[in-house]
Amino acid sequence: MSTTPIPRADPARPGAGPGEPTDGAVVLPFAPPVASTNGAPVSVPRSERDLAILRGLARRLNPEDAGAHNNLGVVFYQKGLYEDAIAAFERALELDPRMQVAQRNIQVAYFHTGYFERLVAELRERLAADPGDTEARRRMASAYYHAGDTGAAVREWRRVLEDVPDDVEVYVRLARAEFQRGDLDAALVHLRNAMALEPENAAIHLRIGEVQYNRGMSEEARASLERAVALDGELAEAYHLLAFVYGDVGETERAAEAAARAAELNPSYGKAEANLSLDRYSAARYNELVGERLPQPEVAEGALAHYNLGLAFRKKGLFEEAAREFELALERGEDEFLVRQAQAELFLLRGAGAEAEAVYAELLEVEPASPKLWNERGVAAHQRGALEEAEAGYRRALELDPAYALAWNNLGVVRHHRGIGGAESAFREALARGRAPGDVWRNLGLALARQGRFEASIEAYESALRLEPGSAVAWTGLGAALMEAGRPAEARSAFVRAVDADPQLAEARYHLAYALSALGDYRGALRETKHALELDPFFPAPRFRLLIDLQFEEARVLAPELEVTQWVEAGSAVEAFEYRDGGLDDVFGPASAPAAPADSAGGARGNGANPAGEDALEAVRAALASGDLDRAAAEAQQAFAAGARRSELLVLLGEIFLRRGLAGEALERFRAAEAAAESDGVPEDATERRSALLGCARALLDLGRTEEAAEAAERLCARGADVESLRVLGAARLRAGAPAAAVEALERARSGAPEDVGILTELGTAHLAAGDPAAAEAVLRAALERDPEAVSAQVALGRVLAATDRPEEAVAAFRAALAVLPSYGEAALALASVERERGRTREAIHVLVDVLDVDPYHLDALAALGSTLWEAGREAEAATAFRRVLRFDPGHAAARRAIEQMDAAAARLGVG
């Protein structure tokens, strides 16, 4: 395993919704601040009108709605109003201290603007001048807490208590910090100190109940929470927590009543409330939330009615409707400059560079010193392919504002497209001027990859992911660079996270299919290729992002792909995907040979000896023996061209398909080989006839057609039993539900190959199924004596031990298998099952998580994790796991059934 750090994606990130734009459209980026040359954060110059409209948003909020304040903070941050953003995030956390998204947002705002460093320096100066400045110390403690340094926060609040020992608020804040860092005992001590000072404070009883519940003290938590609602019958959070406590103690009716009361007092407890994050959200969801939670501001609302409506439509991606409203705004005499600017931005979003450029020319006559307008005029020229004019626009923007990171980014893109050098330095200048905008890192990674500098590209994409852990585009770029660097296992993990972040991203699914194929998971590769083709019938090339600054939200525009032009009309994705007959033969070789080519004498080659064909067949066999299936397929094509025997060539093609996991295709080849050999008069006991029939049995076994597989194996054994035919016969009988007959066949196979660990493992499994665990254990221990690292034998032994009520020994056997092969999902699933049966749910979760760390594409392990989390009462996390399974495999029956059951359970409790 490589030690290259790959950031983890957030599994809770929503995928692209049905209305989210794809190729050629705009999505909202993480928008880090631009910094001046001396490192102080600055924002893009904007008019007082813009600032007034932005700050006017605050007047439309419910002052007690934590989610609304959080979302307002995101909007402020996006526009460079960093102190306003931080104040909004802090207000959100005052209203809801457990709001994780607001906590994450305030940390981003603190550290990506330098605000935290400046604030702490200022407070230290105040405390140096006056150590008794209690308010400065409170602010210092709060800053440390919001920054995630709970230890420092605790120290500062303790010092505050030295000055004000009876301050209830400080005790509560101390408890919150101790709770945050996991010291529940200390948190409880502080809360009891607070209760001693204010015994009738319902909020303190609520917090005590919360801590007790998290310590597993359900009865004590119940008493505290019931006391809280007795003191304050309007305390929605207490009812919400009581619903869980009642559920834990088995009082389901009271749990439902408490949940209903919580939802009545606070409707957000009855439905999922999505809140904006600075590092994780989709464009469609952002537009929806900004449009619904933050209505258009009151500033000049009457005079800008159509303009405001046009902005609302634009945020929703309804470009036609937005264009009509902007036209009406001009007709009704609304602010012409403001409306024309919105129209120009809309042209950019729609990819109409020529129309946008004409409008920007007019706007620049009015405001020629606007770096924003020059940058966007450059984007308009870039869209229509006028690269010199685009570069001139970006450079003019930078002359007016050398710290304008968006223009530096766009300059890098145009320099790359012009092929004249300087792209990398422009991207790095953008990064130096700002605080690492994610789009710039991605553009840099793409540019480096196209230069063949894959290790440097990997570093750039990893930097992008540190800022945007949920960026599907960045994960895809990282995976592509890892593949080029010869690290397919790590690439697979990156592509899995890309698909998890955005299941509709066809590029990620195509790449995942390639990675799975490279790792030998051909079934998974086939499934991902099918999904990718349904999303986009053409492989989409990665694109650079041009950055623009809209009036009330930032956006990025996909740059025209000037190196590879491959356009797909909107809506042209296929509705369903089917293989045409023989289609895979185009990839893996001929399905059935056409008429044999004529020999030099004008006759046709038959199935007789042909030295060139024999040599070619030998090359196919050698490639198969080495496991190089791609080379085997290529050699098979050469063998066909050389006139190799058709029946034997079809057997080898069947073997190639079978090893690729394409059992249906393999079955067709083996049957065609049988027919060809029979028509050519090849005797039944000839090697190629036996190989064809054996291949049929193996393919049928892989397809789950066990009775047909057993029948084929019996026909083969009737012609003369050998070890391999008996092994397949035994396996088929076992899977067909005839374990005693399977034991008989496998014992015969064992007599022919007494040292074969695979046969011994299969025999042990058959003995267990036949009700003879003692014989099963003896056989499996014999297998492990021959090969102590035979993981399949270890797992089979573990199952025998579990079946004979020896769970400790079973656990040891499963862990021994995982010690040899940590990614062996079968061992992990078996181990987790035993741990769950023993009531050790936490251990089962750890086992499954460890396997998913190694192989995030193990869908059965992910589904098992969901079931285990559900049993542990962690419904939200369980639902996330099941939904992740369905993102990769919408037909996964267990995951779909679990989601339906969870939805039904939620509906019965009235919380769905």
Side-chain angles (χ1 to χ4, degrees):
M1 291 292 295
S2 168
T3 58
T4 299
I6 299 180
R8 293 177 181 273
D10 190 327
R13 179 198 182 272
E20 184 164 350
T22 53
D23 232 15
V26 172
V27 290
L28 298 169
F30 178 92
V34 181
S36 66
T37 53
N38 63 7
V42 299
S43 60
V44 175
R46 61 185 74 252
S47 68
E48 287 301 319
R49 180 194 299 111
D50 286 355
L51 293 175
I53 291 175
L54 283 167
R55 289 184 171 129
L57 293 169
R59 295 198 292 272
R60 302 291 296 274
L61 298 182
N62 176 352
E64 301 303 315
D65 187 343
H69 284 283
N70 171 75
N71 293 350
L72 178 63
V74 171
V75 174
F76 282 153
Y77 187 89
Q78 289 279 343
K79 304 314 295 178
L81 303 175
Y82 307 123
E83 293 193 8
D84 298 75
I86 289 167
F89 295 141
E90 288 180 342
R91 177 58 182 158
L93 288 167
E94 287 174 10
L95 294 168
D96 184 359
R98 298 178 303 162
M99 190 176 187
Q100 294 183 359
V101 68
Q103 183 65 50
R104 167 60 180 156
N105 287 344
I106 200 171
Q107 290 178 6
V108 171
Y110 268 178
F111 295 112
H112 285 258
T113 64
Y115 179 89
F116 177 76
E117 293 87 346
R118 294 194 304 278
L119 175 62
V120 169
E122 176 187 332
L123 292 172
R124 283 177 178 162
E125 288 180 8
R126 285 177 57 181
L127 290 168
D130 180 8
D133 188 342
T134 303
E135 288 308 312
R137 199 167 298 283
R138 286 176 189 269
R139 187 71 183 92
M140 179 83 83
S142 179
Y144 279 131
Y145 176 79
H146 290 317
D149 190 348
T150 51
V154 166
R155 289 195 300 272
E156 295 299 331
W157 271 316
R158 286 184 184 279
R159 295 188 63 180
V160 172
L161 276 180
E162 293 175 5
D163 297 329
V164 282
D166 295 335
D167 193 318
V168 170
E169 181 186 356
V170 175
Y171 280 117
V172 172
R173 289 180 179 273
L174 263 170
R176 187 182 303 155
E178 296 288 14
F179 185 94
Q180 185 73 24
R181 65 178 183 171
D183 193 342
L184 302 188
D185 291 332
L188 202 54
V189 168
H190 293 309
L191 288 170
R192 285 178 172 151
N193 288 336
M195 187 177 64
L197 295 168
E198 292 186 10
E200 302 300 306
N201 188 320
I204 294 174
H205 287 281
L206 164 61
R207 298 276 81 89
I208 290 174
E210 179 184 29
V211 174
Q212 290 169 329
Y213 177 70
N214 279 274
R215 292 182 68 195
M217 303 162 59
S218 296
E219 291 298 336
E220 294 86 346
R222 172 181 178 167
S224 297
L225 294 168
E226 287 178 343
R227 177 62 176 156
V229 298
L231 292 168
D232 182 357
E234 304 294 308
L235 202 55
E237 187 180 352
Y239 284 107
H240 180 63
L241 193 52
L242 263 174
F244 292 98
V245 174
Y246 286 143
D248 282 356
V249 298
E251 298 187 26
T252 54
E253 290 185 8
R254 298 193 69 181
E257 291 171 2
R261 178 60 175 155
E264 177 186 340
L265 293 168
N266 184 348
S268 67
Y269 285 125
K271 63 181 187 298
E273 285 287 345
N275 296 295
L276 296 178
S277 169
L278 290 177
D279 61 355
R280 186 180 74 247
Y281 53 86
S282 72
R285 194 61 183 145
Y286 178 92
N287 290 337
E288 178 185 341
L289 289 167
V290 171
E292 293 176 4
R293 294 185 64 90
L294 300 176
Q296 286 300 314
E298 294 176 341
V299 178
E301 189 169 334
L304 295 172
H306 291 288
Y307 166 79
N308 283 334
L309 187 55
L311 291 183
F313 281 135
R314 189 179 73 185
K315 289 176 183 177
K316 295 285 187 180
L318 302 173
F319 293 159
E320 293 293 338
E321 292 84 349
R324 284 197 297 270
E325 291 302 323
F326 292 145
E327 289 294 340
L328 285 171
L330 292 175
E331 291 175 11
R332 303 296 167 84
E334 297 181 16
D335 188 314
E336 182 177 1
F337 186 89
L338 202 61
V339 176
R340 292 292 280 163
Q341 183 171 301
Q343 285 181 317
E345 294 164 349
L346 183 61
F347 282 133
L348 290 182
L349 299 181
R350 299 173 74 175
E355 291 89 338
E357 197 168 9
V359 180
Y360 280 116
E362 297 173 11
L363 296 173
L364 283 165
E365 290 180 5
V366 180
E367 286 195 17
S370 169
K372 164 184 162 55
L373 295 179
W374 280 108
N375 176 63
E376 286 163 20
R377 182 174 185 175
V379 172
H382 205 145
Q383 284 186 330
R384 64 182 182 82
L387 299 184
E388 291 185 10
E389 294 177 39
E391 182 167 347
Y394 302 145
R395 290 194 179 279
R396 180 60 180 146
L398 292 168
E399 289 172 9
L400 294 166
D401 181 6
Y404 198 178
L406 277 63
W408 279 113
N409 171 81
N410 297 346
L411 180 63
V413 176
V414 78
R415 298 291 288 182
H416 178 87
H417 281 160
R418 293 187 68 190
I420 54 178
E424 181 179 350
S425 62
F427 292 136
R428 294 198 182 278
E429 186 68 25
L431 297 170
R433 296 287 182 168
R435 291 291 185 112
D439 280 303
V440 183
W441 281 115
R442 287 195 292 272
N443 283 341
L444 176 59
L446 180 55
L448 292 168
R450 290 187 175 178
Q451 296 172 22
R453 296 164 59 190
F454 299 115
E455 292 299 333
S457 175
I458 289 168
E459 293 176 5
Y461 281 118
E462 286 174 345
S463 296
L465 286 162
R466 279 190 283 273
L467 291 174
E468 297 180 59
S471 170
V473 175
W475 281 113
T476 303
L478 174 61
L482 288 165
M483 280 292 287
E484 293 290 349
R487 294 151 66 178
E490 293 171 81
R492 177 191 58 185
S493 296
F495 295 136
V496 165
R497 291 186 168 96
V499 173
D500 185 48
D502 184 357
Q504 305 303 310
L505 187 61
E507 181 186 349
R509 288 195 180 271
Y510 277 117
H511 277 296
L512 177 57
Y514 300 150
L516 292 171
S517 179
L519 293 168
D521 183 358
Y522 301 110
R523 282 197 176 92
L526 187 62
R527 182 170 60 243
E528 290 305 326
T529 301
K530 175 181 181 295
H531 289 326
L533 286 167
E534 289 172 352
L535 292 168
D536 189 336
F538 299 99
F539 178 82
R543 306 276 289 280
F544 288 97
R545 264 65 175 171
L546 298 172
L547 302 183
I548 63 174
D549 178 31
L550 302 186
Q551 286 158 295
F552 304 110
E553 71 268 15
E554 274 78 14
R556 60 179 176 242
V557 178
L558 286 171
E561 187 48 78
L562 302 179
E563 287 107 341
V564 179
T565 304
Q566 188 175 44
W567 301 100
V568 182
E569 292 294 330
S572 66
V574 294
E575 295 181 1
F577 170 76
E578 295 180 359
Y579 287 111
R580 63 179 174 80
D581 291 342
L584 289 172
D585 294 313
D586 297 340
V587 181
F588 298 124
S592 58
D599 60 19
S600 57
R605 291 193 183 107
N607 235 7
N610 175 0
E614 287 297 324
D615 290 344
L617 288 174
E618 191 57 41
V620 180
R621 296 188 194 100
L624 279 170
S626 68
D628 189 343
L629 301 185
D630 290 333
R631 184 164 65 87
E635 294 290 356
Q637 291 178 332
Q638 295 296 323
F640 171 70
R645 291 193 312 278
R646 183 169 175 244
S647 55
E648 190 161 357
L649 178 56
L650 284 167
V651 168
L652 293 173
L653 283 170
E655 185 66 25
I656 293 170
F657 279 111
L658 193 59
R659 293 196 192 182
R660 288 189 184 276
L662 304 172
E665 298 285 337
L667 180 60
E668 290 184 12
R669 305 309 177 274
F670 289 130
R671 283 181 169 167
E674 271 198 291
E678 185 176 1
S679 66
D680 289 339
V682 178
E684 284 191 349
D685 60 351
T687 300
E688 59 198 77
R689 290 286 299 271
R690 292 184 59 82
S691 297
L693 186 53
L694 179 62
C696 286
R698 291 166 57 215
L700 288 164
L701 195 58
D702 278 5
L703 290 167
R705 294 158 60 177
T706 52
E707 292 183 1
E708 293 177 72
E711 181 184 349
E714 285 167 357
R715 282 169 47 208
L716 184 60
C717 290
R719 298 178 185 178
D722 59 18
V723 169
E724 185 60 18
S725 60
L726 288 167
R727 186 195 66 78
V728 174
L729 176 60
R733 285 175 172 175
L734 179 60
R735 287 157 181 74
V743 168
E744 184 271 333
L746 290 167
E747 285 287 7
R748 290 170 63 195
R750 179 188 187 184
S751 65
E755 302 298 314
D756 190 309
V757 173
I759 291 174
L760 291 172
T761 302
E762 196 83 49
L763 177 58
T765 304
H767 274 303
L768 179 63
D772 190 351
E777 182 176 353
V779 169
L780 292 168
R781 291 197 182 280
L784 289 168
E785 285 177 7
R786 290 161 174 77
D787 183 1
E789 295 189 348
V791 291
S792 57
Q794 283 283 13
V795 171
L797 177 61
R799 291 200 172 102
V800 172
L801 296 168
T804 53
D805 200 23
R806 294 146 70 186
E808 293 290 346
E809 294 178 69
V811 166
F814 295 138
R815 291 198 179 279
L818 288 170
V820 175
L821 186 60
S823 62
Y824 193 41
E826 191 175 346
L829 291 171
L831 174 57
S833 177
V834 171
E835 296 288 30
R836 286 165 63 184
E837 289 173 5
R838 301 168 71 198
R840 294 161 57 90
T841 306
R842 184 184 297 272
E843 287 75 7
I845 290 171
H846 287 316
V847 169
L848 295 168
V849 168
D850 287 344
V851 169
L852 290 166
D853 277 342
V854 177
D855 182 5
Y857 196 75
H858 200 301
L859 302 187
D860 288 337
L862 190 54
L865 177 61
S867 298
T868 310
L869 290 167
W870 191 5
E871 289 178 7
R874 295 159 65 175
E875 290 88 352
E877 294 169 86
T880 297
F882 288 130
R883 290 194 172 98
R884 287 186 69 192
V885 173
L886 294 175
R887 287 175 193 169
F888 294 100
D889 184 5
H892 197 287
R896 187 163 298 283
R897 186 167 56 252
I899 288 291
E900 291 170 355
Q901 291 171 351
M902 294 178 76
D903 289 344
R908 285 195 300 272
L909 289 173
V911 297

